[in-house]
Amino acid sequence: MSGGPSAVSAEEAPRPVGPYSQAVVCDGLLFVSGQLGVDPRLGSVVEGGAAAQADAALRNIGSILKAAGAGPEDVVKVSVYLRDIDDFPAVNEVYARFFSSWKPARTTVGGLQLPKGALVEIDAVARVP
């Protein structure tokens, strides 16, 4: 999967809510669009607060990684966007379980308005092995 850009789509992840791809592969890198904590079957944000939404967002990212032939160990950079920075500890706990053996570089920003009234949005960049 190298060369010109190509879209990646995972049936197990939510459909984009706008004119963009779930992810794009270009020159051996996978750029995963921001994922909300959305249940892909229902299309709605999961209940249970920021930790539950972070878990759903990371599962969605995992599905997209898998569709591209990658896994969490291939992620090199993550950005986490929070409506409320006070949710950082709860989200961090969920995040640590998803990235248990490998710790990619990360940025976390709080105090944001997110689509669908979400509390958490996460995007990622990974290498495609």
Side-chain angles (χ1 to χ4, degrees):
M1 286 193 158
S2 63
S6 62
V8 173
S9 181
E11 290 297 321
E12 300 82 19
R15 300 284 121 227
V17 296
Y20 58 89
S21 300
Q22 286 177 334
V24 172
V25 174
C26 185
D27 295 332
L29 291 176
L30 175 69
F31 299 88
V32 179
S33 293
Q35 296 297 304
L36 302 175
V38 170
D39 181 323
R41 292 166 292 151
L42 302 175
S44 58
V45 175
V46 300
E47 296 182 9
Q53 289 185 26
D55 182 67
L58 289 166
R59 281 188 280 113
N60 293 336
I61 288 172
S63 294
I64 295 166
L65 290 168
K66 183 178 177 183
E73 67 280 0
D74 297 305
V75 174
V76 295
K77 175 70 169 78
V78 175
S79 296
V80 177
Y81 307 96
L82 303 173
R83 180 190 295 175
D84 185 344
I85 197 67
D86 289 341
D87 287 330
F88 182 84
V91 170
N92 213 34
E93 186 176 315
V94 173
Y95 180 94
R97 287 193 304 266
F98 187 80
F99 292 107
S100 60
S101 62
W102 166 246
K103 309 295 186 239
R106 184 176 91 179
T107 300
T108 302
V109 180
L112 303 171
Q113 292 292 95
L114 300 172
K116 292 190 166 197
L119 303 174
V120 179
E121 183 172 3
I122 304 173
D123 67 30
V125 177
R127 69 180 188 93
V128 179

